[in-house]
Amino acid sequence: DTGVSQNPRHKITKRGQNVTFRCDPISEHNRLYWYRQTLGQGPEFLTYFQNEAQLEKSRLLSDRFSAERPKGSFSTLEIQRTEQGDSAMYLCASSFLRRGDLQYFGPGTRLTVT
Amino acid sequence: GENVEQHPSTLSVQEGDSAVIKCTYSDSASNYFPWYKQELGKGPQLIIDIRSNVGEKKDQRIAVTLNKTAKHFSLHITETQPEDSAVYFCAARNLYSGAGSYQLTFGKGTKLSVIP
């Protein structure tokens, strides 16, 4: 069990650019979640996958955000036309329904939009 | 939707003393309450959780209590050590409903400092 991994760990981009983050969940975990965390706040839910199906999206997920989990394993989160307000830590978590559905988080990707 | 309030926002204790962090939730349908510890530059780490059919759960120096009637739950850390210094988050979730049940709703966090 190697834990949830996320890449890159840090990303600095200019306003208006597109960025993509990757999350590799714990193997056998069929559920995957994306959260966003800003300074001094708790994580806020963005979206959720069960296997390859995206089942839930938060109102925080504007149309500039898109997430995929094409084969039910790793997931990507893309932000198009980044804005300064997108600067945050993007956290990925995974869980396995048959083991209590406990959510385990990765180290996060810190995005800075200049 | 669910709203979770967490207090205090900062807490300083002497090494060896106890620390208590309290959370309240608004949605009576919530039935799962995990606690996470987040160290600087790292993702949240699950340290203990409790489900609504249990009033208290303990794991070594860490315990969590739940009062469903009052809709509040607390984290208790005894014999604190410097390595307990971190930001702690409480969260709430309804495990069994449909839409909206997958997400955890977090409090704003408590920064715990254990002074040697």
Side-chain angles (χ1 to χ4, degrees), chain B residues 90-109:
Chain B
C90 61
R93 175 185 168 186
N94 181 343
L95 282 175
Y96 306 119
S97 75
S101 70
Y102 308 108
Q103 60 179 284
L104 289 169
T105 301
F106 285 83
K108 291 188 175 182

Side-chain angles (χ1 to χ4, degrees), chain B residues 50-65:
Chain B
I50 191 167
R51 298 182 188 230
S52 60
N53 57 346
V54 174
E56 183 174 358
K57 184 176 178 181
K58 191 173 182 180
D59 182 4
Q60 299 183 343
R61 296 186 296 108
I62 294 174
V64 57
T65 59

Side-chain angles (χ1 to χ4, degrees), chain A residues 46-107:
Chain A
L46 291 178
T47 190
Y48 154 75
F49 290 85
Q50 180 154 312
N51 299 314
E52 66 275 8
Q54 187 175 19
L55 296 185
E56 193 171 337
K57 291 193 286 188
S58 161
R59 290 171 297 171
L60 292 176
L61 211 67
S62 77
D63 56 6
R64 295 185 298 105
F65 287 69
S66 63
E68 295 182 341
R69 194 182 183 199
K71 297 183 179 180
S73 57
F74 73 92
S75 175
T76 58
L77 178 68
E78 180 183 16
I79 309 174
Q80 295 182 327
R81 305 181 304 280
T82 52
E83 302 173 355
Q84 286 189 323
D86 297 331
S87 295
M89 174 80 86
Y90 290 85
L91 293 162
C92 177
S94 69
S95 69
F96 187 47
L97 179 59
R98 293 184 182 180
R99 291 195 181 174
D101 213 16
L102 308 183
Q103 294 186 24
Y104 295 93
F105 283 81

Side-chain angles (χ1 to χ4, degrees), chain A residues 18-35:
Chain A
N18 298 344
V19 294
T20 300
F21 311 139
R22 175 177 170 129
C23 170
D24 287 89
I26 295 170
S27 60
E28 90 174 342
H29 280 197
N30 58 341
R31 292 183 165 182
L32 187 147
Y33 315 77
W34 285 98
Y35 289 81

